PDB file of all heavy atoms in Angstrom:
ATOM      1  N   TRP A  46     101.454  89.447 112.244  1.00 95.00           N
ATOM      2  CA  TRP A  46     100.694  88.205 112.416  1.00 95.00           C
ATOM      3  C   TRP A  46     100.044  87.834 111.096  1.00 95.00           C
ATOM      4  O   TRP A  46      99.399  88.649 110.448  1.00 95.00           O
ATOM      5  CB  TRP A  46      99.634  88.385 113.501  1.00 95.00           C
ATOM      6  CG  TRP A  46      98.875  87.131 113.768  1.00 95.00           C
ATOM      7  CD1 TRP A  46      99.216  86.153 114.653  1.00 95.00           C
ATOM      8  CD2 TRP A  46      97.660  86.710 113.144  1.00 95.00           C
ATOM      9  NE1 TRP A  46      98.282  85.154 114.609  1.00 95.00           N
ATOM     10  CE2 TRP A  46      97.324  85.465 113.692  1.00 95.00           C
ATOM     11  CE3 TRP A  46      96.838  87.255 112.170  1.00 95.00           C
ATOM     12  CZ2 TRP A  46      96.191  84.775 113.303  1.00 95.00           C
ATOM     13  CZ3 TRP A  46      95.715  86.566 111.775  1.00 95.00           C
ATOM     14  CH2 TRP A  46      95.401  85.340 112.338  1.00 95.00           C
ATOM     15  N   ARG A  47     100.248  86.581 110.677  1.00 93.00           N
ATOM     16  CA  ARG A  47      99.657  86.095 109.426  1.00 93.00           C
ATOM     17  C   ARG A  47      98.624  85.022 109.729  1.00 93.00           C
ATOM     18  O   ARG A  47      98.814  84.185 110.604  1.00 93.00           O
ATOM     19  CB  ARG A  47     100.728  85.513 108.508  1.00 93.00           C
ATOM     20  CG  ARG A  47     101.615  86.586 107.929  1.00 93.00           C
ATOM     21  CD  ARG A  47     102.457  86.026 106.805  1.00 93.00           C
ATOM     22  NE  ARG A  47     103.318  87.046 106.263  1.00 93.00           N
ATOM     23  CZ  ARG A  47     102.970  87.869 105.285  1.00 93.00           C
ATOM     24  NH1 ARG A  47     101.790  87.776 104.735  1.00 93.00           N
ATOM     25  NH2 ARG A  47     103.811  88.770 104.840  1.00 93.00           N
ATOM     26  N   SER A  48      97.554  85.065 108.962  1.00 87.00           N
ATOM     27  CA  SER A  48      96.481  84.097 109.129  1.00 87.00           C
ATOM     28  C   SER A  48      96.952  82.718 108.684  1.00 87.00           C
ATOM     29  O   SER A  48      97.523  82.575 107.604  1.00 87.00           O
ATOM     30  CB  SER A  48      95.277  84.531 108.279  1.00 87.00           C
ATOM     31  OG  SER A  48      94.337  83.494 108.214  1.00 87.00           O
ATOM     32  N   PRO A  49      96.709  81.692 109.485  1.00 87.00           N
ATOM     33  CA  PRO A  49      97.079  80.338 109.055  1.00 87.00           C
ATOM     34  C   PRO A  49      96.219  79.855 107.889  1.00 87.00           C
ATOM     35  O   PRO A  49      96.630  78.976 107.132  1.00 87.00           O
ATOM     36  CB  PRO A  49      96.867  79.475 110.297  1.00 87.00           C
ATOM     37  CG  PRO A  49      96.135  80.307 111.274  1.00 87.00           C
ATOM     38  CD  PRO A  49      96.199  81.725 110.842  1.00 87.00           C
ATOM     39  N   ARG A  50      95.031  80.445 107.723  1.00 82.00           N
ATOM     40  CA  ARG A  50      94.146  80.046 106.619  1.00 82.00           C
ATOM     41  C   ARG A  50      94.624  80.603 105.288  1.00 82.00           C
ATOM     42  O   ARG A  50      94.510  79.950 104.263  1.00 82.00           O
ATOM     43  CB  ARG A  50      92.724  80.521 106.894  1.00 82.00           C
ATOM     44  CG  ARG A  50      92.077  79.778 108.054  1.00 82.00           C
ATOM     45  CD  ARG A  50      90.690  80.255 108.327  1.00 82.00           C
ATOM     46  NE  ARG A  50      89.861  80.239 107.131  1.00 82.00           N
ATOM     47  CZ  ARG A  50      88.761  80.956 106.991  1.00 82.00           C
ATOM     48  NH1 ARG A  50      88.366  81.735 107.976  1.00 82.00           N
ATOM     49  NH2 ARG A  50      88.041  80.880 105.906  1.00 82.00           N
ATOM     50  N   ASP A  51      95.123  81.827 105.287  1.00 83.00           N
ATOM     51  CA  ASP A  51      95.585  82.472 104.066  1.00 83.00           C
ATOM     52  C   ASP A  51      96.780  83.343 104.434  1.00 83.00           C
ATOM     53  O   ASP A  51      96.626  84.401 105.017  1.00 83.00           O
ATOM     54  CB  ASP A  51      94.470  83.322 103.448  1.00 83.00           C
ATOM     55  CG  ASP A  51      94.828  83.862 102.082  1.00 83.00           C
ATOM     56  OD1 ASP A  51      96.010  83.758 101.684  1.00 83.00           O
ATOM     57  OD2 ASP A  51      93.932  84.394 101.409  1.00 83.00           O
ATOM     58  N   ARG A  52      97.982  82.911 104.098  1.00 82.00           N
ATOM     59  CA  ARG A  52      99.208  83.581 104.516  1.00 82.00           C
ATOM     60  C   ARG A  52      99.345  84.998 103.962  1.00 82.00           C
ATOM     61  O   ARG A  52     100.189  85.754 104.390  1.00 82.00           O
ATOM     62  CB  ARG A  52     100.430  82.750 104.108  1.00 82.00           C
ATOM     63  CG  ARG A  52     100.454  81.352 104.681  1.00 82.00           C
ATOM     64  CD  ARG A  52     100.722  81.311 106.138  1.00 82.00           C
ATOM     65  NE  ARG A  52     102.031  81.848 106.444  1.00 82.00           N
ATOM     66  CZ  ARG A  52     102.410  82.214 107.641  1.00 82.00           C
ATOM     67  NH1 ARG A  52     101.599  82.092 108.655  1.00 82.00           N
ATOM     68  NH2 ARG A  52     103.608  82.700 107.854  1.00 82.00           N
ATOM     69  N   ARG A  53      98.520  85.356 102.987  1.00 84.00           N
ATOM     70  CA  ARG A  53      98.577  86.715 102.450  1.00 84.00           C
ATOM     71  C   ARG A  53      97.938  87.721 103.383  1.00 84.00           C
ATOM     72  O   ARG A  53      98.252  88.903 103.338  1.00 84.00           O
ATOM     73  CB  ARG A  53      97.889  86.775 101.086  1.00 84.00           C
ATOM     74  CG  ARG A  53      98.612  85.974 100.023  1.00 84.00           C
ATOM     75  CD  ARG A  53      97.790  85.928  98.786  1.00 84.00           C
ATOM     76  NE  ARG A  53      96.544  85.190  99.077  1.00 84.00           N
ATOM     77  CZ  ARG A  53      95.562  85.029  98.226  1.00 84.00           C
ATOM     78  NH1 ARG A  53      95.641  85.549  97.025  1.00 84.00           N
ATOM     79  NH2 ARG A  53      94.495  84.345  98.550  1.00 84.00           N
ATOM     80  N   ASP A  54      97.016  87.270 104.220  1.00 89.00           N
ATOM     81  CA  ASP A  54      96.333  88.167 105.163  1.00 89.00           C
ATOM     82  C   ASP A  54      97.241  88.406 106.369  1.00 89.00           C
ATOM     83  O   ASP A  54      97.615  87.468 107.065  1.00 89.00           O
ATOM     84  CB  ASP A  54      95.005  87.572 105.614  1.00 89.00           C
ATOM     85  CG  ASP A  54      94.002  87.477 104.478  1.00 89.00           C
ATOM     86  OD1 ASP A  54      94.190  88.165 103.455  1.00 89.00           O
ATOM     87  OD2 ASP A  54      93.030  86.716 104.618  1.00 89.00           O
TER      88      ASP A  54
END
Side-chain angles (χ1 to χ4, degrees):
W46 183 88
R47 289 192 181 272
S48 169
R50 291 179 53 201
D51 188 349
R52 301 289 297 164
R53 294 172 295 176
D54 294 342

